[in-house]
Amino acid sequence: MRKAADEYTGRLRWPRLGQDVAIVAWPSFLVASVATMVCFGFIDPVLVGNDDYPPPAFQTRMAGYAVGFFFFWLIAALSSLMTLYLVRTAHPEPADEGTDDGTRSPE
Amino acid sequence: MNEAQAPVDGALYAARQKIYPRDIKGRFQRLRVYAVFALLGLYYVLPWIRWGERQAVLFDLPARKFHIFGLTLWPQDFYFLTWLLIIAALALFFFTALAGRLFCGYACPQTVWTETFVWIERWVEGSRTQQMKLAKAPLSGEKILRKGTKYFLWFAFALWTGFTFVGYFTPINELAGKVVTFSTGPWETFWVLFYGGATYVNAGFMREQVCKYMCPYARFQSAMFDQDTLIITYDEKRGEPRGARKKGSDPRAAGLGDCVDCTVCVQVCPTGIDIRKGLQYECIACAACIDACDEVMEKVGYPKGLIRYDTQSGLEGRAKHVLRPRTIIYGSLIALLIAGFAYSITHRNVVAVDVIRDRNALFRELPGGLIENVYSVKILNKDAASHEFSITADGLPGLQVDYGTDAVEVGPGDVQSVAVRLRVPRGELKGGSDILFTIRTQDERALEATGKARFLAPTN
Ligand code: SF4
Ligand code: SF4
């Protein structure tokens, strides 16, 4: 009986790649949504640019919002990706019985 | 918290096994069904409701105006939105402190849409066992038909969801017309597919993985828990030692607790965990295991509530406190914010003015010793009625205001730009001075707004 239960509880991880894509894409998506809202709450995309003409991507407001959103998403995703990279490539945390001065012994 | 378990994670690389939650009836599941119907009903119906000439709820991005029933919000009212978000966040804290992940179990879009997709799956493929059998079965006509139907229904439902989403941002009647004739604009098409696609993937395939790996709330909600937070728990004292038993035998005599180890609570769990191992961050508090266990308890003739909503204090037999500093502080903060919000939104100034100096000329010297500055005064009427405005200016002795007429009419929800000339006798005027413009309605409803600008004069 125990075994039947464990069959559905153990190992519910997805392959690392899928997980990594998700944890980079999703938080940056949330951040980009907020950034887009705040940014375009204050700035009208068709008024962006010098000498009274907006750059081509901002010709219409809808295009401006979309370009802004994907720009924020990209930037946030890059930041998430870098963080993830640093986390994934770090040495594992030293075990509890680490050296006395808190430094890590070479592995 | 659970770092101790980390080393077993050679499993990190193991592929995810699909979870087939078993169907279960019970009072909490009924509540969840009501919640799904209420929330999704609201979502799909709201954009079709009319308010006078227009859609009742329309976030008109191209025009930069948000319509919410009788209320129209402009970019200047942006902070109301921020305010609302803060209230929502506090409410989330409040309810989490009170009763754990109520939001996850009953209201999160992820749960609600997943639930609907699971229903469709069950409807097409049958019960949990039938689904698992079908998944293992070799490719056959029936398998293709069933799977195909499921994917098709999911797809149609997701598309409709995407369409509704865009319907909040462009008038949904027009959008429907365009969809029928295949003439939606590029961005509309894109967002329908984007939102529809996200629904399809999140509710059809990722499901509990969104909660487990992607959701920030799932990770930090436990920080808002305390000893008096209602959580879904297994009563270990009563249940252990678990084990199968003969019908009608006395469990105590056999040295057993009340858990008959039928694993039904595990089979119904949409996140595939075993609640008997204690509170885990994967648990979305859907209460399916409560209903499942209650049913089992009823069958074997034990009292219900082996798995139940309870607090840490309650489990340990101490008194429960709903009112405690945490909930009182959150509660009063929310009440304050809501009151403030209601006051300021009903008392917000519905007219506004924006004054811009003419950039082409600093000033003009007119015959008769007058200095003239030209401004563009933008009058914003956010009211639902049209108004006539007068413009006055203060800040310099002998100021003359000239804007061609006596009154400027601005329609409801409109902006009007007026060229205003200010003239001041040369006199002792030197350099620049600040001028305060005031616009005032001429009709029964007294409204006014002010805007500042500089008046420039020769420096000698
Ligand atoms: S864990 Fe996150 S995504 Fe899952 S139900 Fe809760 S809030 Fe929603
Ligand atoms: S443990 Fe129970 S309440 Fe938690 S997700 Fe599983 S079935 Fe739902």
Side-chain angles (χ1 to χ4, degrees), chain A residues 1-19 21-27 29-30 34 36-47 51-52 57 60-67 69-70 73 88, chain B residues 9 11-20 60-64 75-76 78 81 85 128 132 136 169-170 187 190-191 194 202 206 208-210 212-216 242 244 260-263 266-267 271-274 276-277 281 359:
Chain A
M1 280 317 258
R2 289 306 301 286
K3 203 151 176 286
D6 287 344
E7 200 181 318
Y8 302 107
T9 55
R11 307 215 175 89
L12 290 165
R13 305 263 182 177
W14 54 9
R16 187 68 81 86
L17 179 69
Q19 196 177 331
V21 169
I23 60 182
V24 167
W26 185 248
F29 172 83
L30 296 179
V34 175
T36 310
M37 252 170 59
V38 174
C39 171
F40 292 120
F42 292 104
I43 298 169
D44 183 347
V46 298
L47 300 182
D51 296 332
D52 295 338
T60 68
R61 284 191 176 133
M62 285 317 267
Y65 298 139
V67 169
F69 170 72
F70 284 106
W73 197 2
R88 289 284 198 239
Chain B
D9 280 345
L12 262 184
Y13 294 93
R16 170 218 179 207
Q17 284 178 21
K18 182 173 160 129
I19 295 168
Y20 298 91
D60 194 346
L61 290 179
R64 293 176 74 72
Q76 292 86 340
F78 184 76
L81 218 68
L85 285 181
R128 172 174 190 262
M132 284 164 43
K136 281 207 199 94
F169 300 97
T170 44
W187 284 115
F190 173 79
W191 289 117
F194 184 87
N202 275 6
M206 311 240 278
E208 84 289 347
Q209 301 171 95
V210 173
K212 280 166 136 174
Y213 304 118
M214 289 152 71
C215 179
R242 65 183 79 155
V260 297
D261 207 10
C262 60
T263 71
V266 180
Q267 294 171 31
T271 69
I273 56 170
D274 185 345
R276 295 172 302 172
K277 291 183 185 155
Y281 81 77
R359 273 186 240 165

Side-chain angles (χ1 to χ4, degrees), chain B residues 362-365 371 373 426-433 454-460:
Chain B
L362 291 180
F363 53 82
R364 227 151 56 103
E365 293 184 64
I371 306 288
N373 277 208
R426 178 89 191 239
E428 61 262 46
L429 195 60
K430 265 210 184 83
S433 339
R454 293 286 285 171
F455 187 94
L456 297 184
T459 43
N460 46 28

Side-chain angles (χ1 to χ4, degrees), chain B residues 101 103-104 108 110-111 211 215 217-218:
Chain B
R101 297 169 73 174
F103 174 75
C104 292
C108 177
Q110 177 63 25
T111 316
C211 308
C215 179
Y217 173 65

